[in-house]
Amino acid sequence: MKLKTLVFSTLLLASTTASADVMVHDAYARATPPNAVNSAIFMHLMNNDDTARQVIDAQSNAADVVELHNHIMSDGMMQMRKVGSIAIPANGMAELKPGGMHIMLLGLKDDLKEGEDVKLTLKFANGETKELSIPVKKVMAGMKKAHDHTAKTKTQ
């Protein structure tokens, strides 16, 4: 009995340590207007390991369907497509952002309101999972500051 507990504890610790190699930064889910059916989740996935990693699935109770997506140029038109995985290079980063890779929430069960959180589980190709609580933010949250061209510069 003690051996089983030791083996289980060791496996659990190894899984927790390995999933710690992928860190999540700047994650947010896009807030929705009333009765919207879809939204998206964006983030930076930092891989601190010498081995490349792949997200192969995502799950959330906030939507009927959760898919990994990318925007691609096809026949001169930008189109959103489901992808099988999101690669995170060894000692590198994958950026999930508007107009690029992202996680789609299809068939929202409720409106996503700013200030709330969305539960998200990422599943990696090696079988590990990572549980996340993603804050909901307004669509333009943070973008106004980064793209504010009205700021006056101080001249001497």
Side-chain angles (χ1 to χ4, degrees), residues 68-72 79-83 99-102:
L68 308 177
H69 276 219
N70 195 7
H71 282 90
I72 61 166
Q79 298 179 352
M80 186 171 51
R81 299 288 168 124
K82 180 180 176 183
V83 295
M101 298 292 265
H102 59 280

Side-chain angles (χ1 to χ4, degrees), residues 60-81:
S60 175
N61 59 1
D64 294 329
V65 177
V66 181
E67 296 179 346
L68 308 177
H69 276 219
N70 195 7
H71 282 90
I72 61 166
M73 188 64 76
S74 177
D75 297 325
M77 304 255 321
M78 188 63 86
Q79 298 179 352
M80 186 171 51
R81 299 288 168 124

Side-chain angles (χ1 to χ4, degrees), residues 34-156:
N35 303 313
V37 293
N38 301 327
S39 187
I41 295 177
F42 309 101
M43 66 186 73
H44 295 111
L45 295 167
M46 307 288 293
N47 181 2
N48 297 317
D49 192 40
D50 293 334
T51 304
R53 304 288 298 276
Q54 282 190 332
V55 176
I56 60 167
D57 194 20
Q59 299 172 343
S60 175
N61 59 1
D64 294 329
V65 177
V66 181
E67 296 179 346
L68 308 177
H69 276 219
N70 195 7
H71 282 90
I72 61 166
M73 188 64 76
S74 177
D75 297 325
M77 304 255 321
M78 188 63 86
Q79 298 179 352
M80 186 171 51
R81 299 288 168 124
K82 180 180 176 183
V83 295
S85 65
I86 296 174
I88 314 168
N91 297 305
M93 179 184 75
E95 185 177 12
L96 282 62
K97 63 182 181 178
M101 298 292 265
H102 59 280
I103 298 170
M104 275 304 294
L105 302 173
L106 304 167
L108 291 173
K109 296 179 180 177
D110 289 305
D111 298 336
L112 298 185
K113 297 176 185 152
E114 185 176 24
E116 296 179 344
D117 289 332
V118 172
K119 299 295 182 207
L120 181 72
T121 302
L122 298 179
K123 183 176 181 185
F124 296 89
N126 64 0
E128 294 174 4
T129 60
K130 191 169 197 71
E131 304 285 327
L132 302 167
S133 184
I134 308 294
V136 176
K137 297 184 180 181
K138 286 185 181 178
V139 174
M140 297 302 288
M143 293 180 74
K144 288 181 182 176
K145 291 180 187 174
H147 295 94
D148 184 4
H149 297 288
T150 62
K152 301 202 188 268
T153 56
K154 189 175 186 179
T155 57
Q156 294 183 347

